[in-house]
Amino acid sequence: MAVALQILASGFAAGTVYGLVAVGHSLVFRLTGVVHFAFGELIALGVFVTLLAAAGNEPVSQTSVAGARFLLALVVGLLVTAVASAGAYFLAIEPYRARGSVIGWVGASLAVAFAVRTLLVVFFDRPAYVFPDPLPFRHVADDGFWHVGGATIQVRSIFVAVAALVLAGLGVALLQRTRFGRALEAIAQDFDAAVLVGLPVGRLVGLAFALAGVWAGLAAILAAPSAAFDVDAAARYGLYGLLAAAVVWFDARRALAAGIALGLTQAAVTSVHLGTLELGAAYRDVVPLALGLLFFAWRARTTTEVFE
Amino acid sequence: MTAFADAFHELRIGWRRRTTYAFAAFAIAALAPLAFGEARTADLAGGLYLACAAVGLAFAVGVAGLPSLAQGAFVAVGAVVAAHLLAAGIPLPLAAVAGGLGGSSAGGLVGYAFARLPRAGFAAATWIVSWLVAFMLQSITWFLGGSEGVVVGGGPTASGHYELALALTGLAALGYLALARSPIGLRLAAARDREAAAAALGVPVLRLRVVAVAASGAVAGVAGAFAVQLAGVGDATQYGPFLSFRLFVVVLVGGALAPLGAPAGILVLGVLSVAADFVGRLENVAAARAHTLLTAIMLLGIVSLGWEGIVRAPKRRRRAGPGSGPDRARPATLEARALGKAFGNVVAAQDVAVGIAPGRITALVGPNGSGKTTVLRMLAGTIEPDEGSVVVAHGSVARTLQATAVFPTLTPLEHVLVASAGRRSRAGLVRSLFSTPQARAEDAAYVAHARAVLDRFGVLHDVPAGELPVTDQRALMIAAAYATGASVLLVDEPTAGASTVEAARMTGLLRSLRDEGLALLVVEHNLGVVRRLADRVVVLDAGRVIADGTPDAVAADDAVRAAYLGRRSF
């Protein structure tokens, strides 16, 4: 029981962030038929620009940044992410999508991924970063941790999970209730028809790319103070999000659930002991990815109609 | 002796300027160790092993059209297998073979699991595979000794490795060429252009794609095995997704449609890494990072210019020769009884019986939405009926898709060869790779047969099919269906959107096939054509057969008139 609670507590928060990234992947794929390989790196860009604006390139402690400055930094970071996401779409993806060249957009979006990653690694060359936390979770309960029924729960992770779910809800409302959302739905259903009826398709899709980046970037920034952070951590968000989105073939709602499932699997791998078998943190990437791929392969071979 | 003379003769007439350039490039490259020091030669050898792996990838990307991002992972599998065998004292050649087997098994597995996905899904899946393998190498120390690596001793000198790598790259390029020209490569290219049309011609798309990924994995595995021996240590950090990305870039830069594209791409990347060293020294940035950045920026530039690679696809020539081409189709009948099919609540076909006899043209007509296409797909075996059965007595069935479903980059000659490939007995992977005399003789005979078929259908042989007039494209698809050797042809709307003259040409062709003894079923909207063409007419309405008989009898039927009321009458 304690183990289950522990898994739920530590896996759910990470899972909601994966889920939100997966929703971003789904939105992008539904609109353009393109897999956004640079998503994780663009999220990393948002997190690091926020860090830079909040605290400069000096080592920071969790408490060293005041709320107002952090808010300003957040705005700057998200703006940069939005511009970079939209820019990546117009410069690197749209030209090949228009030409129907799969090989072209695969290469181009990977090129964006590695270009952003290298730039980040050049400027942020310490192995791991502490991200400042403007919210005083460390004063809640026992230094920021609750002890419930034998499990230790980081109070912060509950905040992250709730915030990510609220973001997901806002996203759904935006897509279902607004003119912008209905226009995107039209583009997703028939790109050429949307062009024909006079929708400014290029601008709308660029905006959708930017928003997907902002949404996922915000979730990652909210989650960042929970643990040490580096470029690879953000790249993992992109990767897990892609896996979660792909196994449900880019269906946004199920992608959120698949992301949460991946997060829970990961937490299970790190905390479960079965008799003498203890997987531990070394397998926290291997096992979820392997299981996810197996599930993906099984679906790919049995339910072909889904994949259109 | 005559076999050698024949081979020499073939080589001479097949020789082109391109071949001379390729040979000259290899000869000059072989002299490189004389000009460079031992350390530089080792670097070059490492680059060539990469080139070799990239040639394998180019086959999957270019010929099969699969955007594989797992080639680096296959290299890693070869390296892991070889590192363990070498550490246990197994000689290098055996370890390399084992590495190749490991790479091809990994490739086959990935192909089996994901080749059914659309290309975007395949790219995503192989990308995740790349990451998974990288994480496995890092966290499971058994594979490559974790952060310490597995030390591999002995082996040839740097120059030895260099010449070995050069020879291996040459062999990989020859293998690419042989496979791309073979029925395997042709059918893969057809499936790359239009998967559904290829499947309708009987191309086993999934199986061939698995073969393609496994073959490219085999090359990667062998290259990985040699490269780990050259490096002297199996280092887990060398095989991350960046390696897969780099190989993909090499293929894109050099050109995926030519066997020597990948080596050309490696050359560009090598020049770039020298430039990166220089830039790195100027800007005080580690060279490896500057290199990654330059690679990414160059790739963006190259793909945004619509670049197709340094080395373009060679012009393909094919020699016709004597020998036995495919046999003519034997007369066969198709009997469908009590077919039923429902999609959810919609009943698309109910209790449908159709018989197709040799030397006869049966027309399947009906208003829009009457279930014609569903019935056709059940007869072709594309979908399983919920009820009833389809029996084909001694023969096979081929189907054409509606209107213009040609493979735009293939020539008409290649279309017919794709279709007839299913009947060949000497066109397997091994025979194609080694281009055995039997395979070459069969090839020549089938080319002769294909040219004869095209002459009969009045279609040009050697231009890209996408450039043919639409009426020729229709004739070509029927020619291809005919060349599969099927005794029963299912033809979907041969005259849709055609002018009167074009329609007359199609009816003439279909009649000539009937007179040859084939059994034809034609789905047709143009009732005038049906009346002139068909020996028997089956009328569908709302998924049921409402009339079945000669055109005149059917035209006089009240039920048919009612179904077509407000439409054109016979």
Side-chain angles (χ1 to χ4, degrees), chain A residues 200-217:
Chain A
V201 170
R203 239 184 309 153
L204 287 172
V205 174
L207 192 59
F209 261 72
L211 279 180
V214 166
W215 243 248

Side-chain angles (χ1 to χ4, degrees), chain B residues 179-410:
Chain B
L179 271 193
R181 286 180 54 89
S182 75
I184 293 177
L186 270 183
R187 285 185 287 174
L188 278 169
R192 173 197 67 202
D193 279 5
R194 275 180 207 276
E195 191 171 335
L201 287 178
V203 172
V205 178
L206 199 63
R207 214 176 66 211
L208 288 176
R209 284 190 176 155
V210 173
V211 168
V213 185
S216 79
V219 178
V222 171
F226 279 114
V228 82
Q229 213 284 329
L230 169 72
V233 60
D235 176 0
T237 60
Q238 291 293 303
Y239 302 101
F242 183 55
L243 178 61
S244 291
F245 169 64
R246 214 143 63 110
L247 289 167
F248 197 76
V249 173
V250 163
V251 168
L252 241 57
V253 171
L257 288 172
L260 290 182
I266 283 283
L267 207 63
V268 172
L269 234 58
V271 171
L272 206 69
S273 92
V274 174
D277 280 343
F278 184 69
V279 173
R281 242 176 284 139
L282 281 187
E283 297 292 325
N284 205 12
V285 174
R289 285 171 185 170
H291 189 186
T292 312
L293 194 60
L294 279 181
T295 310
I297 291 172
M298 180 188 64
L299 179 66
L300 276 180
I302 280 174
V303 275
S304 62
L305 292 174
W307 172 262
E308 283 171 17
I310 298 169
V311 188
R312 305 298 165 86
K315 265 225 167 62
R316 305 167 293 247
R317 283 184 219 164
R318 290 176 186 278
R319 198 168 62 93
S324 58
D327 301 328
R328 278 177 58 163
R330 288 196 295 163
T333 54
L334 181 150
E335 276 296 329
R337 284 193 202 91
L339 289 182
K341 182 79 191 174
F343 298 103
N345 292 329
V346 182
V347 178
Q350 200 177 356
D351 197 24
V352 174
V354 182
I356 311 175
R360 311 259 285 168
I361 295 177
T362 307
L364 186 63
V365 302
N368 281 332
S370 58
K372 297 188 297 288
T373 304
T374 304
V375 170
L376 191 75
R377 291 172 72 190
M378 286 193 282
L379 296 182
T382 321
I383 54 174
E384 282 289 316
D386 294 339
E387 296 158 15
S389 62
V390 178
V391 179
V392 185
H394 46 259
S396 59
V397 181
R399 166 184 175 221
T400 69
L401 301 184
Q402 279 184 21
T404 50
V406 296
F407 313 116
T409 63
L410 268 55

Side-chain angles (χ1 to χ4, degrees), chain A residues 29 33-35 37 41 91-92 95-96 99 102-112 114-119 121-122 125 232 235-236 239-240 242-243 246 249-250 282-283 285-287 289-290 293-294 296-298 300-302 304 307-308, chain B residues 61-62 65-69 111-114 116-129 131-132 135-141 206 241-243 245 248 252 285 288-290 292-293 295-297 299-307:
Chain A
F29 181 82
V34 159
V35 176
F37 286 111
E41 277 74 10
L91 291 178
Y96 313 106
R99 244 185 280 147
V102 176
I103 307 284
W105 65 248
V106 169
S109 67
L110 281 175
V112 171
F114 279 100
V116 172
R117 164 184 280 259
T118 315
L119 278 177
V121 172
V122 167
D125 53 359
D232 276 334
R236 279 193 180 101
L239 187 70
Y240 280 107
L242 176 59
L243 180 58
W249 203 241
F250 303 101
Y283 292 87
D285 290 313
V286 173
V287 175
L289 282 183
L293 273 176
L294 273 180
F296 191 20
W298 173 71
R301 291 199 57 84
T302 51
T304 44
F307 302 101
E308 280 170 358
Chain B
V61 172
L66 295 170
S68 167
L69 297 173
Y112 177 79
F114 301 115
R116 205 179 274 239
L117 291 171
R119 276 170 225 197
F122 189 78
T126 49
W127 181 237
I128 298 168
V129 167
W131 278 93
L132 173 64
F135 285 136
M136 281 167 80
L137 292 184
Q138 279 167 24
S139 53
I140 304 174
T141 47
L206 199 63
F242 183 55
L243 178 61
F245 169 64
F248 197 76
L252 241 57
V285 174
R289 285 171 185 170
T292 312
L293 194 60
T295 310
I297 291 172
L299 179 66
L300 276 180
I302 280 174
V303 275
S304 62
L305 292 174
W307 172 262

Side-chain angles (χ1 to χ4, degrees), chain B residues 35-85:
Chain B
F36 296 103
E38 191 79 343
R40 261 281 179 227
T41 306
D43 283 350
L44 290 175
L48 271 176
Y49 284 133
L50 267 192
C52 187
V55 172
L57 178 62
F59 184 76
V61 172
V63 177
L66 295 170
S68 167
L69 297 173
Q71 191 75 345
F74 303 150
V75 172
V77 171
V80 168
V81 171
H84 280 274
L85 291 179

Side-chain angles (χ1 to χ4, degrees), chain A residues 29-219:
Chain A
F29 181 82
R30 286 282 160 210
L31 286 174
T32 58
V34 159
V35 176
H36 194 353
F37 286 111
F39 208 20
E41 277 74 10
L42 289 173
I43 292 170
L45 183 71
V47 177
F48 276 106
V49 169
T50 306
L51 178 64
L52 190 67
N57 199 7
E58 298 301 312
V60 290
S61 71
Q62 283 233 315
T63 56
S64 60
V65 176
R69 169 128 192 222
F70 185 85
L71 217 58
L72 185 70
L74 187 66
V75 171
V76 173
L78 292 180
L79 262 181
V80 170
T81 310
V83 171
S85 296
Y89 171 69
F90 285 116
L91 291 178
I93 296 175
E94 169 58 22
Y96 313 106
R97 192 208 59 75
R99 244 185 280 147
S101 161
V102 176
I103 307 284
W105 65 248
V106 169
S109 67
L110 281 175
V112 171
F114 279 100
V116 172
R117 164 184 280 259
T118 315
L119 278 177
L120 287 177
V121 172
V122 167
F123 285 109
F124 300 92
D125 53 359
R126 290 201 299 277
Y129 283 78
V130 172
F131 202 89
D133 191 355
L135 301 172
F137 288 109
R138 60 197 165 278
H139 300 314
V140 181
D142 182 7
D143 206 17
F145 288 93
W146 268 326
H147 302 283
V148 183
T152 308
I153 300 169
Q154 195 184 12
V155 180
R156 206 166 194 296
S157 67
I158 295 172
F159 161 71
V160 171
V162 171
L165 287 177
V166 167
L167 274 176
L170 278 177
V172 170
L174 183 70
L175 288 179
Q176 287 182 345
R177 299 283 165 82
T178 62
R179 276 173 64 94
F180 172 68
R182 283 197 294 276
L184 289 188
E185 180 60 34
I187 297 170
Q189 285 189 4
D190 193 333
F191 197 94
D192 297 323
V195 174
L196 282 179
V197 298
L199 284 176
V201 170
R203 239 184 309 153
L204 287 172
V205 174
L207 192 59
F209 261 72
L211 279 180
V214 166
W215 243 248
L218 191 55

